[in-house]
Amino acid sequence: MRLDLFPWIMFACWALFLPPPFWDALAAIVAWNAGELSGAPSPALGAVLRPLGLTQRWSMFSPDPARDDGWIVAEAQLESGAKVDLLNGGPPTRDRPRVRRDLRWRSYLALVARDGSGDMATFFAR
């Protein structure tokens, strides 16, 4: 995505119209992030920012990124003997599905796939 000068123009506008307390809070968040990235966030700063919900963590890709990827194939056999894909309809396939599920569906299906007891898969199948 090319934004050219747009972010810089917006930053200049913000500098003109946002009051000084905003920039103090922005500086505190920047200091927190710098500490978080260096591995030594300030406990005192965390005590102020955490109740306000302003602390951030950079853990999506680091230090331990997700190593699994995939999709669920929900194959069922009808009384007639025909097999069907319960999620997408039609014949079952092991190919990556074309239908993009929203975040809630993906989170739910990931929980079903990781459930060691099989209880969630049984419930999902019903």
Side-chain angles (χ1 to χ4, degrees), residues 28-41:
I29 293 169
V30 169
W32 172 263
N33 284 327
E36 185 71 30
L37 288 173
S38 70

Side-chain angles (χ1 to χ4, degrees), residues 38-102:
S38 70
S42 165
L45 193 54
V48 173
L49 295 177
R50 199 170 285 113
L52 299 173
L54 296 176
T55 57
Q56 301 173 0
R57 299 220 49 236
W58 298 93
S59 60
M60 180 181 273
F61 302 110
S62 173
D64 187 25
R67 306 213 186 285
D68 59 348
D69 184 28
W71 52 91
I72 292 181
V73 177
E75 184 177 307
Q77 185 170 353
L78 303 176
E79 288 180 357
S80 66
K83 293 186 178 182
V84 64
D85 182 346
L86 295 176
L87 289 176
N88 301 309
T93 177
R94 304 274 182 219
D95 297 335
R96 180 180 288 271
R98 288 182 291 152
V99 176
R100 300 291 295 182
R101 307 254 181 237
D102 64 14

Side-chain angles (χ1 to χ4, degrees), residues 66-69 72 107-118 120:
R67 306 213 186 285
D68 59 348
D69 184 28
I72 292 181
S107 298
Y108 175 67
L109 293 176
L111 287 173
V112 170
R114 291 185 183 131
D115 178 35
S117 68
M120 290 183 75

